Amino acid sequence: MQLTQADRTRIRSAVTTAEAATDGEIVVVLARRSDAYHDVGLHMAVLAMLLVLAGTALWPGWLLAFHGWAEPWGDAPTPLFLLTTLGWVQGAVFLIVRYACAWTPLRMALTPAATKARRVHARALLLFRAATERRTVAATGVLLYLSLDEHRAELIAEAAIHDRVDQAVWGDALAALLVALGQDRPADGIVAAVGAIGAVLAEHFPIGAKDMNELPDRLIEL
């Protein structure tokens, strides 16, 4: 999903239009993904290695079959032979899964949804603190964060907005964004979400006599 320059212009115009009726400020941040999830690949490799051990406990016959293949005329397998074979197989499985998970699409597919949700939220909160929080005089900043690979979005508002607006109110804005994202139309979703956020802000924080554009209207891409 690639944004064109026309998409970026539309998003900027949507933010400008939304802010024209409110003292609130909207910051839109778009990221390819919120984390590399390399630890997930490591966890999967360790899990695969442990599954080999669990499988051997349930079906130990494969070790005996391997001994029969490796040493068809040998004596009964020794504990050293069995443990060495098991160790080599576990090591091979670990390396295969570890290197397979270096492929980003596989690693993303194996990452639990709950892990993605936590990492997206953590990244959004970090960006909110860096780019939005305490950067407006009246504490009326809102961060809209979209993480493409996870197909997740976060909306975080400053204290003045959070105290007045129920979090459930933002559901429509995020729903419109995620529906469009699922249809590979991120720009349309962002524009729709910004419009919904602007409507909420205009209701609770109508534009004042000394309204200033305190935060950038442009899309921030990471």
Side-chain angles (χ1 to χ4, degrees), residues 3-221:
L3 293 184
T4 65
Q5 190 56 45
D7 291 331
R8 297 182 180 92
T9 300
R10 287 175 56 212
I11 293 169
R12 180 168 189 158
S13 297
V15 173
T16 302
T17 301
E19 293 180 353
T22 176
D23 280 342
E25 293 287 327
I26 303 170
V27 176
V28 183
V29 179
L30 175 69
R32 168 54 55 186
R33 69 182 67 91
S34 295
D35 192 87
Y37 301 101
H38 288 304
D39 58 319
V40 174
L42 178 60
H43 295 161
M44 291 300 170
V46 172
L47 176 61
M49 186 175 66
L50 294 176
L51 286 176
V52 171
L53 186 60
T56 302
L58 292 174
W59 301 286
W62 78 268
L63 275 174
L64 299 177
F66 182 81
H67 177 267
W69 173 80
E71 298 184 33
W73 309 109
D75 298 328
T78 64
L80 178 61
F81 175 87
L82 297 176
L83 289 174
T84 300
T85 301
L86 179 60
W88 276 105
V89 172
Q90 283 187 294
V93 168
F94 175 88
L95 292 175
I96 290 171
V97 175
R98 185 71 182 91
Y99 282 103
C101 287
W103 186 44
T104 301
L106 176 61
R107 193 168 65 250
M108 293 297 295
L110 293 175
T111 301
T115 299
K116 293 178 181 177
R118 287 194 301 270
R119 304 266 172 106
V120 170
H121 178 73
R123 185 74 182 283
L125 190 58
L126 177 65
L127 293 170
F128 171 74
R129 290 170 176 167
T132 307
E133 189 176 31
R134 298 180 182 177
R135 292 181 177 270
T136 59
V137 173
T140 54
V142 176
L143 174 76
L144 177 63
Y145 175 69
L146 174 60
S147 195
L148 292 175
D149 283 0
E150 292 91 341
H151 284 73
R152 292 186 177 274
E154 290 277 338
L155 194 155
I156 305 177
E158 282 201 85
I161 299 173
H162 183 78
D163 293 342
R164 293 195 197 180
V165 182
D166 192 305
Q167 291 301 298
V169 172
W170 304 119
D172 291 342
L174 292 178
L177 174 55
L178 293 176
V179 167
L181 182 61
Q183 299 171 350
D184 292 337
R185 297 184 295 107
D188 292 341
I190 292 173
V191 169
V194 167
I197 294 169
V200 174
L201 292 177
E203 178 183 352
H204 294 277
F205 300 91
I207 193 167
K210 296 183 179 180
D211 179 62
M212 297 180 293
N213 190 18
E214 299 172 274
L215 296 174
D217 293 349
R218 66 177 179 82
L219 173 68
I220 300 173
E221 297 180 78

